[in-house]
Amino acid sequence: MCKKVFGIVLAGGHGRRLGGIDKATLQIGGCSTLSRAKRVLSFADAIAVSGREGEGVPRIDDKIKNKGPLAGIAASLAWAEEGGAEWLATVPTDMPFLASALYVKLLNAADGSDLAVARVENRRHWLVAVWSVKLALAAQEAL
């Protein structure tokens, strides 16, 4: 892959649907969902975590609190742009069975556009996506 890609694990939120449990620490097959998400991003030139400590990778803090995943994406797009990346791959920590190959397909599909989003049965999964860093300002303004 010739594109410079940074990856962010979206690990924020309050885990309300799980009774307040920290989703990133859930264990599946002896591995935390955070570790699984970081493994999905093994192709990336740099990896960070949004919303919590990153188990050995940098933490990206939201610039505006309590605005949901868009705040994490906006802050991460700014981080990726500052780091010289062209793209940001977003991996939600609560989707432990994603594969790196999906992101390679998304990057190839994004050719000529600024965003490629995973789609299953006509439903878009906006947090499983690759975002051009050109969207950094637009994401910040959307907040």
Side-chain angles (χ1 to χ4, degrees):
M1 188 178 319
C2 296
K3 300 170 184 172
K4 187 168 184 182
V5 180
F6 280 15
I8 190 74
V9 176
L10 299 170
H14 300 288
R16 288 184 192 103
R17 289 176 292 187
L18 296 172
I21 294 172
D22 181 355
K23 296 176 285 190
T25 62
L26 289 175
Q27 297 285 311
I28 297 175
C31 189
S32 72
T33 56
L34 177 58
S35 293
R36 286 174 170 269
K38 287 174 17 185
R39 194 175 316 141
V40 170
L41 291 168
S42 62
F43 65 90
D45 296 289
I47 300 171
V49 175
S50 173
R52 69 176 327 278
E53 294 303 316
E55 293 182 2
V57 297
R59 175 184 178 157
I60 306 298
D61 289 317
D62 297 355
K63 306 256 188 278
I64 301 174
K65 303 294 182 198
N66 300 315
K67 291 292 184 180
L70 180 57
I73 292 169
S76 300
L77 280 165
W79 163 72
E81 185 176 45
E82 289 168 12
E86 300 167 76
W87 292 92
L88 177 72
T90 55
V91 177
T93 192
D94 59 358
M95 295 185 77
F97 301 110
L98 294 173
S100 297
L102 171 61
Y103 288 87
V104 173
K105 287 180 182 180
L106 287 171
L107 285 163
N108 289 331
D111 192 32
S113 60
D114 292 331
L115 174 65
V117 177
R119 188 178 194 139
V120 176
E121 297 177 1
N122 293 324
R123 182 171 176 231
R124 291 185 180 103
H125 294 272
W126 292 100
L127 303 183
V128 181
V130 293
W131 308 72
S132 168
V133 297
K134 295 174 193 172
L135 296 172
L137 181 59
Q140 189 62 39
E141 289 173 350
L143 287 173

